[in-house]
Amino acid sequence: MATKPPKADPVQDAPEVTEPRHAAAGLPAIGHSLRMAHQQMGVRRTALTLLRVNQKDGFDCPGCAWPEPEHRHTAEFCENGAKAVAEEATLRRVTPEFFAAHPVSDLNRRSGYWLGQQGRLTHPMYLPEGADHYEPVTWERAFDIVAEEITALDSPDEAVFYTSGRTSNEAAFLYQLFARELGTNNLPDCSNMCHESSGSALSETIGVGKGSVLLEDLYKADLIIVAGQNPGTNHPRMLSALEKAKANGAKIITVNPLPEAGLERFKNPQTPKGLTTGAALTDLFLQIRLGGDQALFRLLNKLILDTEGAVDELFVREHTHGFEEFAKTARAADWDDTLTATGLTRADIEQALEMVLASRSVIVCWAMGLTQHKHSVPTIREIVNFLLLRGNIGRPGAGVCPVRGHSNVQGDRTMGIFERPSAAFLDALESEFGFAPPRHHGYDTVRAIRALRDGDAKVFFAMGGNFVSASPDTDVTEAAMRRARLTVHVSTKLNRSHVVTGARALILPTLGRTERDVQASGEQFVTVEDSMGMVHASRGRLAPASPYLLSEPAIVCRLARRVLGDRTVVPWEDFEKDYATIRDRIARVVPGFEDFNRRVAHPGGFALPHAPRDERRFPTATGKANFTAAPVEHPKLPEGRLLLQTLRSHDQYNTTIYGLDDRYRGITGGRRVILVNPDDAHALGVTDGSYVDLISEWNDGVERRAPGFRVVHYPTARGCAAAYYPETNVLVPLDATADTSNTPASKSVVIRLEQSATD
Ligand SMILES: Nc1nc2c(c(=O)[nH]1)N[C@H]1C(S)=C(S)[C@@H](COP(=O)(O)OP(=O)(O)OC[C@H]3O[C@@H](n4cnc5c(=O)[nH]c(N)nc54)[C@H](O)[C@@H]3O)O[C@H]1N2
Ligand SMILES: Nc1nc2c(c(=O)[nH]1)N[C@H]1C(S)=C(S)[C@@H](COP(=O)(O)OP(=O)(O)OC[C@H]3O[C@@H](n4cnc5c(=O)[nH]c(N)nc54)[C@H](O)[C@@H]3O)O[C@H]1N2
Ligand SMILES: [Mo]
């Protein structure tokens, strides 16, 4: 296969490199985000909007799912929250004139960055079969087109309904209700590519697929382990919580192949001292090899077992199952194997053990560094073993803390966005609404791509997100989308998924979090659930980006009425008029939401129940918390190869690119970089500043190549390279997924480097 030229684009990708930083936030963060906000929104709108983020009568920050502190006096400043808001509240517009001027064949050659920078979508747009221009269409006609294609299917299972994690609880509940009344569980979501491994591991071991700590627990912990996460960029407000935890005496261990600036030193922009010197956060940095975490925790578990009095025997006896088998396996853990898998030294691990044994209450936080490997589920189960051994679940200051990505990704799952819903959930839907929901499982993200590729699915509908760019194996995914009869995107901003389409395509523009939502009964609010299971209201205040936008709930209601016609038993019209009526139904279907409307009126919202956290009750198959004993795995690297992780820069939100800098890593003006350890670079004969193609090696004989990356010598762990997503998604094979969770293994791609032809 020939090397494809980089996409034609007026934006030059010409990275420049300086030393990585050793501290995050501080004054540069404020200056940087205000500059971006002013460019997008102007000065007045910036002030009005940023003051409302995460305030009790304001809107939920669309940035990330990190929870709000209970006692806040002023807006908590967060650089990347500010950027996410500016991106949505921008004054730039993508109008019908824009589409008249730019054929799809032209838009197709633009970068994702350029597409996103064009602004907010203003009108429903339709791409007829064979056409090269999107044209404006009425909402009625748009829904007719979806109905035509869905009605023409042989089975509702030939339609796929994707969700990204910004969708509100109300919209998500209606969306799954529509899909299920239509007759399918094909509800893949971004979670399938994100924390699915956490959900799988936690449901099986503790009985609830969510984190077991609240924000207060971080303040009470003696030790916090942050593994496979870069909060300085992706959850900046978490750094304030870590700073407070440290002030209360906690120690922090960071486990990461990269030294991430935010975890080294945090300059809290909320405090005068923080703006200058800041606080050191990490006490012990374990520079682990990619995929070495299961081996690390396994050995720690062996060492705990070998230490007299270190196991919480009472807890193990009363609350757990499977201890003996686990202990037998763990005792066999081997030092040498562990040092190979992790790349750590014996002294590193001994010091970590000492800190663990000195700590009564331990929390482990993690994100994509742990969830996107082939053996992610057993890795997270091993962390559960680690916490169970010393009774660190269901006690203040202790527990599991998977840190979620999108601001409502956890809530969407709670509302039933899941291709494998529980029988209990479906029973509750059936008794509330009186139709029989389908019981067979639907497609997750990877299976949806296969179904589209193979012609088994023909209609693709997305509630937000950017499926084409976020999914693995870009060439395969794009070809799959092009085979569809119809692709539909409910979106706020233009993205690549709008220009890689099925035979026909629709763009349905919607309100963002920052905007006022007025329906027949008056002004509405929506609700979201954060990473720690707190549910609260979100009210936008800005005038909508265009008078032609519909809210996500309104879109689902009108679509459902049009598609289902007389056969629906759901009062869609009432739901559209008044979202409180949706919440009344959620209250009766979803456990933990009893009396929803009253409780969500409470400022700050309410906490969902979590049996392991609240009562040390573990609703698993055994009725106890389950120890598990899987064999230890770690990625094997053939000679002359590197293991590539695909990660986020500081100037992006997933597939939305805010700018071309990665300030903390010292990279500016470009994204096509590959970070390589200088010793590896030397061994492979690639010099800093040279250009290479990245070629992924997978066992299917297909060449996957990403051309033209600037080599950056960087202090990453040996053998472990890093480059940005989504440019590198072309390298992630569709079939390279995590066992059990089926999440693409985008943090462990075996690659080789070739000098670029153009170099
Ligand atoms: N500004 C901003 N905020 C965001 C997002 C964004 O794109 N931009 N995205 C949101 C979303 S959807 C998500 S899921 C989260 C993502 O938040 P993160 O998970 O922090 O995002 P990544 O950039 O993928 O970073 C992965 C981190 O794990 C480390 N890592 C990789 N592999 C391994 C490994 O094998 N072991 C260990 N121990 N570490 C490893 C990497 O070096 C890196 O520090 O952020 C959310 N918040
Ligand atoms: N190689 C690699 N691939 C990855 C990852 C990785 O680390 N490496 N990370 C994975 C992860 S963790 C995730 S979560 C996925 C993300 O996958 P997605 O959630 O599909 O992608 P996003 O980039 O978050 O979606 C951005 C688009 O959402 C739309 N949008 C924004 N706000 C709203 C809104 O309020 N309503 C609606 N309807 N639309 C809105 C805008 O049009 C915008 O273009 O990517 C995954 N892919
Ligand atoms: Mo995510």
Side-chain angles (χ1 to χ4, degrees), residues 395-653:
R395 190 152 59 64
V400 282
C401 183
V403 182
R404 297 279 173 161
H406 277 291
S407 54
N408 198 41
V409 62
Q410 185 159 316
D412 290 346
R413 184 55 64 83
T414 309
M415 291 298 117
I417 302 294
F418 195 22
E419 74 284 354
R420 291 174 285 130
S422 69
F425 181 84
L426 295 177
D427 292 344
L429 269 191
E430 181 158 3
S431 72
E432 177 64 25
F433 291 99
F435 68 85
R439 297 279 163 166
H440 56 285
H441 290 173
Y443 299 132
D444 61 13
T445 292
V446 165
R447 291 187 176 94
I449 296 168
R450 288 193 192 120
L452 288 158
R453 176 193 67 190
D454 300 341
D456 296 332
K458 299 192 175 79
V459 171
F460 176 86
F461 191 105
M463 187 56 73
N466 181 2
F467 190 82
V468 161
S469 292
S471 295
D473 228 345
T474 313
D475 292 346
V476 175
T477 298
E478 292 197 359
M481 292 302 265
R482 291 204 157 97
R483 266 202 87 177
R485 279 292 312 151
L486 174 71
T487 50
V488 188
H489 288 87
V490 178
S491 308
T492 52
K493 302 283 299 270
L494 189 64
N495 66 44
R496 217 173 140 65
S497 299
H498 303 135
V499 298
V500 179
T501 68
R504 308 162 91 186
L506 285 162
I507 300 175
L508 306 181
T510 194
L511 296 175
R513 283 287 169 72
T514 54
E515 287 161 325
R516 189 172 291 138
D517 182 350
V518 181
Q519 303 295 342
S521 72
E523 195 161 322
Q524 308 295 313
F525 66 88
V526 293
T527 61
V528 294
E529 174 186 343
D530 68 31
S531 197
M532 294 180 178
M534 299 291 300
V535 177
H536 62 93
S538 174
R539 285 182 185 80
R541 298 288 184 198
L542 295 175
S546 138
Y548 304 102
L549 305 185
L550 287 182
S551 73
E552 291 182 344
I555 291 174
V556 181
C557 289
R558 293 187 194 188
L559 177 71
R561 282 168 58 201
R562 179 63 192 82
V563 172
L564 299 169
D566 291 342
R567 73 181 168 104
T568 187
V569 295
V570 174
W572 300 105
E573 262 173 291
D574 299 344
F575 288 164
E576 179 178 343
K577 274 188 209 136
D578 181 359
Y579 299 173
T581 63
I582 311 171
R583 286 185 289 273
D584 285 338
R585 300 306 188 101
I586 295 172
R588 289 207 289 267
V589 171
V590 188
F593 285 82
E594 297 76 16
D595 210 4
F596 191 4
N597 274 305
R598 189 186 58 76
R599 286 198 296 158
V600 82
H602 175 265
F606 61 92
L608 290 175
H610 187 291
R613 180 193 67 207
D614 304 335
E615 332 159 31
R616 280 203 158 173
R617 189 167 59 75
F618 298 92
T620 60
T622 60
K624 304 257 179 178
N626 291 318
F627 278 101
T628 48
V632 172
E633 292 174 63
H634 66 91
K636 307 281 182 309
L637 201 55
E639 262 302 294
R641 306 297 186 265
L642 292 171
L643 201 60
L644 175 75
Q645 63 155 321
T646 60
L647 81 181
R648 291 153 176 81
S649 89
H650 194 60
D651 268 1
Q652 76 182 83
Y653 193 92

Side-chain angles (χ1 to χ4, degrees), residues 699-746:
N699 56 21
D700 59 1
V702 176
E703 184 182 280
R704 295 177 176 83
R705 179 185 293 258
F709 281 69
R710 184 201 192 279
V711 173
V712 178
H713 287 187
Y714 200 86
T716 172
R718 279 302 302 270
C720 303
Y724 303 131
Y725 128 80
E727 287 81 349
T728 47
N729 285 41
V730 65
L731 300 173
V732 184
L734 187 63
D735 296 338
T737 60
D739 298 337
T740 312
S741 66
N742 211 25
T743 295
S746 44

Side-chain angles (χ1 to χ4, degrees), residues 63-65 80-81 190 194-195 226-231 233-236 255-258 260 286 288-293 366-370 372-373 403-406 645-650 652-656 658 665 722 725 747:
C64 72
N80 280 327
C190 64
C194 186
H195 266 293
V226 182
Q229 199 199 342
N230 177 22
T233 285
N234 298 313
H235 303 92
V255 189
N256 204 306
L258 297 174
E260 301 283 29
L286 298 178
I288 198 163
R289 290 208 171 122
L290 289 169
D293 305 81
W366 71 88
M368 296 305 98
L370 296 198
Q372 298 175 333
H373 293 283
V403 182
R404 297 279 173 161
H406 277 291
Q645 63 155 321
T646 60
L647 81 181
R648 291 153 176 81
S649 89
H650 194 60
Q652 76 182 83
Y653 193 92
N654 299 335
T655 69
T656 299
Y658 301 139
R665 299 197 185 109
Y725 128 80
K747 294 286 190 279

Side-chain angles (χ1 to χ4, degrees), residues 269-282:
Q270 263 68 241
T271 64
K273 178 170 171 287
L275 287 175
T276 51
T277 52
L281 287 184
T282 293

Side-chain angles (χ1 to χ4, degrees), residues 342-394:
T342 59
L344 299 172
T345 64
R346 197 174 172 114
D348 286 334
I349 297 179
E350 279 169 350
Q351 196 183 340
L353 176 71
E354 203 178 298
M355 289 169 72
V356 170
L357 294 177
S359 306
R360 176 80 187 95
S361 302
V362 180
I363 290 175
V364 183
C365 302
W366 71 88
M368 296 305 98
L370 296 198
T371 63
Q372 298 175 333
H373 293 283
K374 177 176 183 293
H375 60 308
S376 284
V377 175
T379 298
I380 296 164
R381 286 198 210 122
E382 198 61 34
I383 289 176
V384 173
N385 290 337
F386 167 79
L387 291 168
L388 292 178
L389 268 182
R390 291 176 51 80
N392 272 316
I393 291 191

